[in-house]
Amino acid sequence: EKHIRGIPWSDRIKEYGLEENLRILHRVATAVGYVHQEHQVIHRDLKPANVKIDEEYSEVYVVDWGSALHVGHVEDEQHPALHVSRAKHSRATPAYMSPETAVGTSEKCTTSTDVFMLGGVLYEILTGDAPYASAIKGTGDPVLAVVQAAAVKKHPPLRDNCRYPVIAEDLFAIVDRAMEYKQEDRYPDAIAFAEALNTYRKYSEAMRSCARISRSFQEASSSDSNEFGALKRRRAMRMIEIAEQYCGIQEMLAGDES
């Protein structure tokens, strides 16, 4: 087994800020999505502890593919996907487990199974806890507890527990869709999840730019009516025009959820 350098994301997830954690999650979802599309293989145990961060080189690795499952058809006998386990049962962690994984058979697992867990990781980024940590605490059968909790979305409400309640509102919809009980209601694969996340990140950056531009314009407006002040005002107006184009991303995000 190849040694992967780095530290588990779980050791840093509460120390990193929202933007850094979203950057890492986007990298994870993109990597998993590539495996979904190119090899028809799903991970089935996605969680921060199974992601390694090489802080020196800013690399992100998805590790521990011991529960991986091939879910597509492969004719090439040399295809690497054929070396993936076809075990019916997963060693997935109950606190992040999808309902179909908890049921215990591989037939119902698809790429949307990984999407559910990616949504669970985003939930943890926002709240500081795994989605079903409280549901399985003290239960004799944590897997059954996951199935029951997922059926009624019985994880602590995001809005009541979010560490970033003002700036992360649009992320709630991504979590909700990714963690839908019915697989057909989720994002179809990790690439679609990554695209939704990236749309939010671009929109968030545009909003921060708008705030900076607003401050710049106010400063320019309060300047003396000289050539320097006029130049700052013209520059600020041009920046506002550019920012308004970026702000159309919000409509794209709303369209993705409709």
Side-chain angles (χ1 to χ4, degrees), residues 27 38 46 99 133 136-137 157 179 207 215 217-218 235 250:
R27 293 279 296 276
E38 295 299 318
L46 293 170
I136 66 177
K137 187 176 181 180
M179 297 187 69
M207 292 299 98
R215 289 193 298 270
F217 187 75
Q218 290 173 3
R235 186 173 296 168
Q250 185 177 21

Side-chain angles (χ1 to χ4, degrees), residues 112 115-116 119 122 153 155 158 171-189 192-193 196 253-258:
S112 69
V115 168
F116 186 95
L122 179 54
K153 289 192 175 181
H155 49 64
L158 273 168
L171 289 172
F172 299 166
I174 297 178
V175 173
D176 287 342
R177 181 174 175 185
M179 297 187 69
E180 285 285 358
Y181 183 79
K182 293 182 179 179
Q183 292 171 263
E184 62 268 25
D185 292 336
R186 303 174 200 161
Y187 297 103
D189 56 30
F193 176 88
L253 184 65
D256 285 344
E257 300 305 323
S258 62

Side-chain angles (χ1 to χ4, degrees), residues 220-230 233:
S221 297
S222 63
S223 301
D224 294 334
S225 298
N226 53 27
E227 184 177 351
F228 178 69
R233 284 191 291 273

Side-chain angles (χ1 to χ4, degrees), residues 148-181:
Q148 294 172 337
V152 294
K153 289 192 175 181
K154 193 179 178 182
H155 49 64
L158 273 168
R159 286 168 180 79
D160 296 342
N161 297 274
C162 183
R163 299 190 293 169
Y164 316 95
V166 176
I167 62 175
E169 179 76 22
D170 290 314
L171 289 172
F172 299 166
I174 297 178
V175 173
D176 287 342
R177 181 174 175 185
M179 297 187 69
E180 285 285 358
Y181 183 79

Side-chain angles (χ1 to χ4, degrees), residues 2 35 52 66 82 84 92 101 106 110 118 121 127 140-141 153 161 202 210 225 235:
K2 181 180 178 181
V35 178
K52 280 197 172 183
L82 292 180
V84 173
T101 303
S106 63
T110 68
L118 289 169
V121 175
T127 67
D141 189 344
K153 289 192 175 181
N161 297 274
K202 289 181 179 179
C210 285
S225 298
R235 186 173 296 168

